[in-house]
Amino acid sequence: MLKELITVAVNDYKQLLKNKQWMAIVIFLFFIVCISLSVYRVVIYMSDFNMFLDPAVDAKFFGKDPITTWTNNSYSPFFYSVMSIFSPFARWFAVILWSLISILSLMVVYSITKFFFPSLKTKHYVYVFLVICTGLVDNFQLGQCNILILALMMLSIYYAYHKKHISSALWIGFASAFKLVPAILFANFFLRKKYSTVALGTLFAILFTMITPIFFYSFNSTGDYLTSWFNAVLFPLASGDEMVTTTYSFCHTNQSLDGFLGRHFADYGINNYQIIPDLGIYYLVSPETFKLITLSLKALFLLLISFLSIKLKNNNRESIYISSAFFIYGILIISPVAWVNYYVLIIPLLFVFVSSLNYANKLIKGLFIGGAILMLSDVDPVLQSLSLHTIGGLFIFVATYITILKRIKKHPLN
């Protein structure tokens, strides 16, 4: 089925090349530019891809703990096991292969979306592309893995709809072991009574995390790396405590809820970003209060998207895609860190909105467009310190949420 999905995307591109050659050429040139930027960044050593491969090489060939040696990452030993596959190649060639995987991943996302929303027209895909184009560029130039993560989650949703529970569980298990945050989809599958996917997916995630690294490292090294990751990342994340690794901060590139609140309602923004005015309340927010506020807001957000998932309880095509899109967006809210390049995860939510344009009034469309403009404008550290991606994403979330509720009321999807 994976081959069929890629074939659908290839055939549609050929058709586009035949009917709208200029658009096909623009898409081709866009990805050529993206790949060129990825090579340029990796060669001058200003790429996240380098930060993926260096710990992978150190762990595999020099016995260095990737968690304690490279504290600016929070990835599991399984992640570094997978990335070590690219270590034999020159970096420029490895990042080209990595970029091609991202392009294939986008093709999968496209084909799955087309399956769930067959009524979407070319203009709808253009709308989504325009909103997320800078986010795509950022992912490619940094050599990030978020497009791949999105494709893995979409594959799990696709197979779950077709009641292929083992395949669905395999993809979400792999994604969760690779980058942990996709585990939020387990909540959606549980609410949709996909209990086999939840159980098997959890098992696969554990096996990938605990067993696979043994085939890349020694048994003792695997144990040490896993212990470091549990103590530095997994346990603090589960308990709501601050992670030991240095990825967690309120820096302007962190466009999560934590980053937004930390910059605007704690002393971090006052001390580090002079353009942010004193809101008059930052000195009242102690670390304990800040933790309580963030946990409460995240819980409220989970309740909102869970409510919508329950409203869309039947497993028809659109319902499962829509509820999953909200949970995937939830990664940006629930995770303590959501860099700007994470926002490619909003792609399914964008498709949900454009598929329901007829149910959105002018005010809602204006809110959505405003959110899109904020995200597209957020290309400078000064602007990012104002959390434009966070605010823009929330505008899009609210617009889409209200639109779907109106759609359910007028024409139930169940």
Side-chain angles (χ1 to χ4, degrees), residues 191-332:
L191 291 171
R192 307 195 69 77
K193 299 181 180 179
K194 301 286 185 181
Y195 302 128
S196 297
T197 298
V198 173
L200 290 172
T202 302
L203 177 61
F204 279 129
I206 293 172
L207 291 176
F208 279 127
T209 302
M210 305 287 288
I211 305 300
T212 303
I214 296 175
F215 296 96
F216 292 83
Y217 317 121
S218 68
F219 185 83
N220 288 336
S221 293
T222 298
D224 292 339
Y225 300 164
L226 285 170
T227 300
S228 296
W229 184 68
F230 287 154
N231 292 332
V233 179
L234 187 60
F235 294 154
L237 188 63
S239 62
D241 294 328
E242 185 174 336
M243 293 184 292
V244 177
T245 53
T246 57
T247 49
Y248 182 74
S249 76
F250 301 143
C251 178
H252 59 273
T253 50
N254 184 4
Q255 295 291 312
S256 67
L257 180 65
D258 289 60
F260 169 76
L261 294 175
R263 280 191 299 277
H264 297 281
F265 297 95
D267 57 2
Y268 185 93
I270 303 300
N271 295 333
N272 294 276
Y273 300 108
Q274 298 302 319
I275 61 167
I276 298 178
D278 183 347
L279 298 177
I281 59 172
Y282 76 94
Y283 53 85
L284 297 177
V285 181
S286 65
E288 293 77 16
T289 304
F290 180 84
K291 180 179 177 181
L292 178 62
I293 291 173
T294 54
L295 287 176
S296 299
L297 289 175
K298 289 176 183 181
L300 176 61
F301 183 83
L302 280 174
L303 285 174
L304 284 173
I305 58 178
S306 297
F307 168 77
L308 193 62
S309 182
I310 294 170
K311 291 277 287 185
L312 299 164
K313 58 185 177 182
N314 284 357
N315 291 315
N316 58 40
R317 286 195 184 194
E318 295 189 349
S319 292
I320 190 171
Y321 187 104
I322 291 170
S323 64
S324 299
F326 279 97
F327 272 91
I328 292 173
Y329 170 74
I331 291 173
L332 303 172

Side-chain angles (χ1 to χ4, degrees), residues 21 55 59 67 70 79 105 119 121 171-172 174 206 210 234 257 260 271-272 285 289 307 310 315 352 362 384 391 414:
Q21 190 178 55
I67 310 301
W70 296 85
F79 175 89
S105 297
S119 62
K121 296 178 173 58
W171 290 116
I172 191 59
F174 186 98
I206 293 172
M210 305 287 288
L234 187 60
L257 180 65
F260 169 76
N271 295 333
N272 294 276
V285 181
T289 304
F307 168 77
I310 294 170
N315 291 315
V352 168
K362 291 183 179 180
Q384 288 173 357
I391 298 169
N414 298 324

Side-chain angles (χ1 to χ4, degrees), residues 65-83:
D65 190 325
I67 310 301
T68 57
T69 305
W70 296 85
T71 57
N72 54 339
N73 286 336
S74 298
Y75 298 108
S76 71
F78 174 69
F79 175 89
Y80 293 118
S81 299
V82 174
M83 295 308 300

Side-chain angles (χ1 to χ4, degrees), residues 18-70:
K18 180 180 178 181
N19 298 328
K20 295 184 179 180
Q21 190 178 55
W22 68 270
M23 188 178 293
I25 292 174
V26 168
I27 293 173
F28 177 78
L29 292 177
F30 175 82
F31 287 116
I32 289 296
V33 170
C34 286
I35 294 174
S36 300
L37 286 172
S38 71
V39 173
Y40 172 73
R41 291 290 295 266
V42 83
V43 168
I44 64 172
Y45 206 83
M46 292 179 62
S47 171
D48 289 353
F49 189 72
N50 285 318
M51 302 304 293
F52 296 161
L53 285 195
D54 284 345
V57 170
D58 279 350
K60 185 174 182 179
F61 298 107
F62 302 103
K64 294 182 180 180
D65 190 325
I67 310 301
T68 57
T69 305
W70 296 85

Side-chain angles (χ1 to χ4, degrees), residues 155-166:
L155 280 168
S156 182
I157 296 162
Y158 180 73
Y159 283 109
Y161 171 77
H162 286 93
K163 299 182 180 179
K164 295 182 179 294
H165 303 299
I166 295 178

